[in-house]
Amino acid sequence: MFGEDHEQVVFCSNRPSGLRAVIAIYSTALGPALGGTRFHSYASDEDALADALELSRAMAYKAACAGLDLGGGKAVILGDPGKDKTEALLEAYGGFVESLGGRYITACDVGTRGEDMDVIARRTRFVSGRPRASYAGGDSAVPTAAGVYQGMLAAAESVWGAPSVEGRRVGVAGVGKVGFHLTANLVAGGARVVVCDVDPAAVERARALSPGVESVDVDALPSADLDVYAPCALGGAVNDQTVDQLRARIVCGGANNQLARPEIAKALDDRGILYVPDYVVNAGGLIHVADEYHGYDEARVRARVEEIFHTTGQLLETAAAAGEPPSVTADRIAEERMAKGRWRAPGPFTGGDQG
Ligand SMILES: NC(=O)c1ccc[n+]([C@@H]2O[C@H](COP(=O)([O-])OP(=O)(O)OC[C@H]3O[C@@H](n4cnc5c(N)ncnc54)[C@H](O)[C@@H]3O)[C@@H](O)[C@H]2O)c1
């Protein structure tokens, strides 16, 4: 059955505005389920549901591993954000978020922006990622990229003995918001960066960061001569095809759900490639919106994001000692923390994880 591991899945429909959405709550064991709203044209309703289920699960694991008192949830609105996004639709969606009484807190994701959160907030208190509440330059991609960079330094220390990417060749696949800022971090850290993107303008923006930034075709990056491969576009970048092409020693990037199937972690491990679990290193954005929800403190966010270096280092040590891929260890750490969670969700519904 679809979603059998989830606490709650809500199908939202509002005919006057044309809203069709799915809100998936994987767990509220550790706290309210905070996760963004994706606005996307899915090929089918099944694809939309599957995306909401998978993304909400990843949010729960991400929050648990980052030590945050948050559950995991995610929502998808079905439609083309360029054509279908109206204030009436976003307000109707806000009403559904409010109806969950604080079990789910929404924020931005692919296809939604801070301004949309302001519209959603007309109908619900349970929203973060709002521009006027953010710090100057308040894009969550900045702390996300900073956290990925910290995770990459920890991986470098584990593989090469020093927490540095200086002189290493790093391939950044997708230079949108996160990939761009990661490239900037890598250039500052002395890495040799190769980027790719389906959008030529994004490639140009990244190349403008430094004369040393190279670019290659999207299909050429996985098999390029790299030390680190950093997927920063959509999910599934490491799949049955790319897993055999990779020449990098480390895979560490910002994209969510990088492995097309969980079993790919084992295939990477067998090839001696260290895969640093995506949700462990890309938690910076979640740390940012979680902090904002309680009143933003830039220094506190920066310190928590820098902690990703230690979280990743400890995880890699534990995984090596256990002789298993780090993604398996990370899942177990998250599951153990969730199993101990005792947050009492508001409202009449008392989800399955709350003993
Ligand atoms: N923004 C955040 O704070 C945040 C936080 C955690 C995780 N993530 C994840 O990071 C990833 C990137 O997010 P973003 O906010 O930078 O999105 P974005 O839309 O700004 O950037 C994605 C980029 O990838 C490019 N792209 C699409 N398909 C590609 C392909 N096949 N090959 C190469 N490039 C391709 C796009 O043209 C775009 O430039 C997503 O998986 C997102 O879920 C983002």
Side-chain angles (χ1 to χ4, degrees):
M1 189 189 99
F2 257 145
E4 59 198 349
D5 295 330
H6 287 65
E7 260 179 46
Q8 191 176 11
V9 183
V10 181
F11 295 88
C12 316
S13 162
N14 175 264
R15 273 181 197 277
S17 67
L19 171 75
R20 294 183 66 233
V22 180
I23 302 174
I25 297 176
Y26 181 80
S27 168
T28 58
L30 292 169
L34 173 54
T37 298
R38 183 164 292 194
F39 204 132
H40 185 68
S41 291
Y42 289 93
S44 68
D45 290 3
E46 287 73 19
D47 284 0
L49 175 60
D51 210 23
L53 294 176
E54 201 174 342
L55 289 165
S56 58
R57 179 181 182 280
M59 291 307 292
Y61 280 69
K62 187 183 302 197
C65 255
L68 298 169
D69 292 329
L70 290 173
K74 200 93 175 183
V76 299
I77 297 178
L78 289 79
D80 178 344
K83 287 197 215 134
D84 303 325
K85 198 195 285 176
T86 62
E87 293 202 359
L89 181 146
L90 292 173
E91 283 187 15
Y93 172 66
F96 281 103
V97 174
E98 182 65 24
S99 75
L100 293 170
R103 297 174 49 72
Y104 171 66
I105 302 168
T106 198
C108 307
D109 193 66
V110 177
T112 54
R113 296 179 304 186
E115 295 72 35
D116 302 329
M117 298 304 122
D118 277 344
V119 178
I120 290 169
R122 292 177 193 157
R123 296 285 302 278
T124 182
R125 298 156 283 169
F126 306 116
V127 53
S128 189
R130 299 179 60 186
R132 67 177 176 76
S134 300
Y135 71 114
D139 183 349
S140 68
V142 177
T144 301
V148 174
Y149 183 64
Q150 291 298 325
M152 204 184 286
L153 294 181
E157 183 168 46
S158 162
V159 170
W160 297 303
S164 167
V165 289
E166 194 166 1
R168 302 285 171 198
R169 200 153 188 255
V170 183
V172 181
V175 274
K177 295 186 288 294
V178 174
F180 174 85
H181 291 292
L182 178 62
T183 302
N185 279 289
L186 289 164
V187 167
R192 294 176 293 143
V193 188
V194 192
V195 304
C196 75
D197 198 295
V198 289
D199 176 4
V203 171
E204 283 318 304
R205 268 194 306 275
R207 291 199 62 167
L209 280 166
S210 158
V213 174
E214 297 170 56
S215 63
V216 295
D217 283 348
V218 164
D219 293 340
L221 195 63
S223 59
D225 182 15
L226 301 172
D227 296 302
V228 183
Y229 177 60
C232 291
L234 299 178
V238 188
N239 50 45
D240 291 299
Q241 193 191 345
T242 51
V243 74
D244 291 329
Q245 298 175 335
L246 285 172
R247 292 159 69 191
R249 180 72 180 78
I250 295 170
V251 175
C252 177
N256 280 312
N257 300 336
Q258 284 167 34
L259 303 185
R261 300 182 289 115
E263 298 75 25
I264 293 201
K266 173 83 170 63
L268 288 169
D269 203 45
D270 289 347
R271 291 200 55 216
I273 299 171
L274 178 63
Y275 167 66
V276 190
D278 44 19
Y279 66 74
V280 175
V281 296
N282 75 10
L286 178 61
I287 290 168
H288 168 101
V289 287
D291 201 88
E292 183 189 310
Y293 192 68
H294 299 293
Y296 193 81
D297 183 302
E298 190 175 346
R300 184 171 57 205
V301 171
R302 193 175 305 121
R304 285 206 100 140
V305 170
E306 282 172 6
E307 265 303 297
I308 291 175
F309 176 79
H310 297 289
T311 312
T312 308
Q314 276 167 9
L315 169 72
L316 298 182
E317 274 178 30
T318 309
E324 61 191 9
S327 55
V328 173
T329 315
D331 280 1
R332 192 175 53 248
I333 291 170
E335 281 156 12
E336 282 169 7
R337 202 168 164 243
M338 282 189 262
K340 290 187 196 135
R342 290 289 178 270
W343 189 67
R344 305 301 304 186
F349 180 82
T350 55
D353 282 344
Q354 301 164 49

